[in-house]
Amino acid sequence: MTSQKNKDKILFPIIKKWYLLLLILPIIACQSDDDTTTLPQDSINGFWSIADKGWIFEFTNGKNIFYNINAAGCSIQDNNFIPEELYGFELNQISANELIGTSELSDSEIKFIRLPNQNPNCLPDQVTATKDPKVNFDHFWNIFNDYYAFFEAKNIDWSQYESLRDQITTDNLYDIIEELAYVLDDGHVSVTDEENDIEIDSGDPTLLERLNVNLSGDLIIENLDDYFNLTNQKAITIVTEYLGGDFEIDDKENIIWGLINDDIGYINILTMQGYGTSFGDELPTLNAVLDSMMNDIEASGVSKLVLDIRFNGGGYDTGALNIVSRFMDQERVSYFKKARLGNSFTENKSFSVGPKGNFQFTGDIVLLTSPYTISAAELFALCLKDLPYVTIVGENTTGAFSTILEHVLPNGARVGLSNEIYSDAQGVVFEIVGIGPENQENQIPFLSTLDYQEEKDSGIERALEILNN
């Protein structure tokens, strides 16, 4: 660990959700059953489908091809797909016609079903690779029509936009796609075309609006640099005014912890990924950091804790769950998850989290949340919110829980969308609305002009009021 004494500047990373969230595959985080075996290449040769993702894989002795399928046709996401290079991806045999993919970096298994023949839309002469703007619009509209999970929840009639195809030209393709992305208003919907320097993030307008509600004048956020500047100032206030310049931080500068006073500790979790140097050591490295942090918290003797995820842009679900485990008093069913499949959904699976490590903090906790808290950070809040010793202070989180499903357009642009529905242990869905305080007095803005004028953090101030009562 790197100890920081009297540090005068910290730059909290603003982490793009797109890159944090299992960019290509929401691969699995459970161990293979004892009766499964890793397959040799010859035995998996052929075509395999993951229907709820719209993915088809062609495995051969030469190279593997990763296809995306939607009602408009088929495109290639990766024409030289190497499973083991993605998040420790492994294939294990269930039967001659069923594979399970496993990795430590997601919370559920994924099943591959063998196809007797290639999907007719993905035959070599049917795969679409073109810059034709109308064809690319067709794929964009159909990807969402086939796989997006929240049209009903958002009261969106997607069918009304299909006719926009007639207006599409090379010059306006991305203008119209951007308009539709903003209609969805989803922090997990993105379109990226590196060749044309296009990056569309559906949730950005709403996020900026929410962050700016309590800011004025020169403090108004207009771009990422503005956000960096404000959160950097806020970081300085936290570590100087509340931690006295005496705190610990891990080697990757992802978690900060220290003492506010003799009875109250403070932990700021900045991200749910980026702890290791490779997929294989991500969770072991994270858990080593957590061991060190929890040892410090235990040795300090504090009985109360401020847990801050206001700066957290998400990451791996399993990263979030490993951190959650250090604050669990017992194993509990923490959430459910299902994915859109045609006009219905896959099985709604339950996930439990229990204590890990030599010490778990289960004293009074105030959890600080913000509009920037998204994805795996929201899963963290979902798992903690109902614990009897946890109180939430701050603002509602973004409301975007789904692992990002990625598809590729025929022109090579990458499209990310939400196709999973998460719910809490009682079955309540917090997509769109987010997770936040239960009462008005605990609704404290993440960023405010008053805080910057007075060099204070109102969220921490409110947490201290609660913990000191």
Side-chain angles (χ1 to χ4, degrees):
M1 299 305 105
T2 302
S3 179
Q4 303 278 344
K5 305 294 184 181
N6 300 311
K7 187 173 182 180
D8 61 4
K9 184 175 183 181
I10 298 175
L11 185 62
F12 279 11
I14 182 169
I15 304 170
K16 298 300 289 182
K17 285 89 68 179
W18 178 265
Y19 297 104
L20 274 177
L21 300 165
L22 300 188
L23 188 59
I24 297 180
L25 287 174
I27 310 186
I28 337 321
C30 61
Q31 296 298 318
S32 303
D33 295 336
D34 291 339
D35 58 351
T36 62
T37 57
T38 301
L39 296 175
Q41 180 69 54
D42 287 348
S43 66
I44 66 170
N45 282 350
F47 298 100
W48 300 82
S49 169
I50 305 174
D52 59 298
K53 307 302 181 189
W55 292 340
I56 293 175
F57 298 86
E58 180 183 1
F59 296 119
T60 70
N61 288 325
K63 65 179 182 179
N64 307 316
I65 302 177
F66 177 8
Y67 301 93
N68 297 160
I69 184 77
N70 64 74
C74 181
S75 60
I76 293 177
Q77 183 164 150
D78 189 345
N79 63 8
N80 190 21
F81 174 66
I82 303 174
E84 59 269 21
E85 291 186 358
L86 291 173
Y87 306 100
F89 189 69
E90 294 181 357
L91 299 178
N92 297 282
Q93 183 176 18
I94 296 298
S95 69
N97 296 317
E98 186 175 326
L99 307 177
I100 281 187
T102 59
S103 167
E104 293 186 344
L105 295 180
S106 181
D107 59 354
S108 55
E109 66 185 27
I110 193 168
K111 292 182 180 180
F112 297 68
I113 303 300
R114 185 187 289 275
L115 298 175
N117 299 293
Q118 172 62 306
N119 184 291
N121 286 343
C122 289
L123 295 172
D125 59 348
Q126 297 296 316
V127 176
T128 307
T130 178
K131 295 186 182 298
D132 184 306
K134 293 185 184 298
V135 173
N136 280 279
F137 179 83
D138 288 342
H139 278 254
F140 174 82
W141 186 88
N142 279 282
I143 287 167
F144 282 87
N145 195 56
D146 292 349
Y147 304 110
Y148 189 66
F150 296 106
F151 289 132
E152 183 177 354
K154 293 175 179 285
N155 196 28
I156 294 173
D157 177 11
W158 191 243
S159 65
Q160 68 180 306
Y161 302 111
E162 187 176 14
S163 61
L164 290 174
R165 180 188 199 276
D166 297 335
Q167 305 174 26
I168 296 294
T169 67
T170 299
D171 291 336
N172 70 15
L173 171 64
Y174 284 119
D175 291 334
I176 291 178
I177 282 178
E178 183 175 54
E179 289 178 12
L180 293 186
Y182 288 160
V183 166
L184 296 170
D185 189 16
D186 186 325
H188 277 168
V189 168
S190 301
V191 180
T192 304
D193 183 339
E194 294 181 358
E195 181 180 345
N196 292 294
D197 196 27
I198 298 293
E199 185 171 348
I200 300 167
D201 292 292
S202 169
D204 278 1
T206 295
L207 175 60
L208 283 176
E209 181 180 341
R210 292 185 64 193
L211 291 173
N212 280 323
V213 166
N214 295 284
L215 296 172
S216 59
D218 293 340
L219 295 176
I220 292 292
I221 299 171
E222 296 181 356
N223 52 49
L224 293 183
D225 287 340
D226 291 342
Y227 181 87
F228 272 124
N229 290 336
L230 287 188
T231 53
N232 187 58
Q233 291 179 50
K234 194 170 189 69
I236 293 170
T237 298
I238 290 172
V239 300
T240 56
E241 299 300 321
Y242 296 96
L243 301 184
D246 187 358
F247 60 94
E248 300 291 328
I249 187 168
D250 68 290
D251 292 339
K252 295 294 185 68
E253 300 186 351
N254 291 331
I255 302 182
I256 295 169
W257 65 95
L259 303 181
I260 294 177
N261 57 43
D262 290 342
D263 197 37
I264 301 176
Y266 174 84
I267 298 174
N268 196 319
I269 305 164
L270 301 173
T271 178
M272 299 305 179
Q273 84 158 28
Y275 292 86
T277 57
S278 66
F279 302 134
D281 71 357
E282 175 73 16
L283 294 185
T285 303
L286 168 60
N287 283 307
V289 171
L290 296 177
D291 287 342
S292 178
M293 178 183 76
M294 299 309 292
N295 287 341
D296 287 350
I297 295 296
E298 182 180 25
S300 72
V302 296
S303 61
K304 303 169 185 178
L305 187 64
V306 178
L307 195 50
D308 196 343
I309 56 171
R310 293 175 296 175
F311 304 83
N312 195 308
Y316 301 126
D317 280 358
T318 50
L321 299 179
N322 273 266
I323 303 173
V324 165
S325 70
R326 305 307 180 105
F327 304 100
M328 298 296 291
D329 58 347
Q330 63 186 46
E331 184 166 346
R332 301 169 183 264
V333 173
S334 295
Y335 66 102
F336 291 82
K337 182 170 69 171
K338 60 184 178 180
R340 183 179 166 191
L341 179 58
N343 294 322
S344 186
F345 291 90
T346 59
E347 176 188 357
N348 200 24
K349 294 184 178 180
S350 66
F351 296 84
S352 298
V353 183
K356 281 187 179 180
N358 295 326
F359 170 72
Q360 301 83 41
F361 187 92
T362 57
D364 290 340
I365 295 174
V366 170
L367 179 64
L368 300 179
T369 58
S370 82
Y372 189 71
T373 307
I374 189 171
S375 194
E378 293 187 273
L379 177 60
F380 183 85
L382 191 72
C383 293
L384 291 181
K385 71 179 183 64
D386 292 328
L387 298 181
Y389 44 88
V390 174
T391 301
I392 297 179
V393 168
E395 299 176 83
N396 279 34
T397 60
T398 298
F401 291 79
S402 173
T403 300
I404 292 175
L405 172 63
E406 184 178 270
H407 274 233
V408 173
L409 299 180
N411 66 1
R414 294 183 177 271
V415 176
L417 64 151
S418 302
N419 87 315
E420 295 175 329
I421 297 179
Y422 285 65
S423 58
D424 70 5
Q426 293 75 44
V428 178
V429 176
F430 291 86
E431 190 79 19
I432 305 170
V433 297
I435 295 171
E438 292 185 349
N439 53 58
Q440 182 67 37
E441 62 184 359
N442 290 338
Q443 293 178 6
I444 308 296
F446 174 38
L447 304 173
S448 72
T449 297
L450 183 62
D451 273 10
Y452 286 103
Q453 290 173 342
E454 299 185 359
E455 296 184 353
K456 68 177 184 180
D457 186 308
S458 292
I460 294 179
E461 293 289 343
R462 178 57 186 156
L464 296 179
E465 290 177 10
I466 293 171
L467 296 173
N468 284 324
N469 284 339

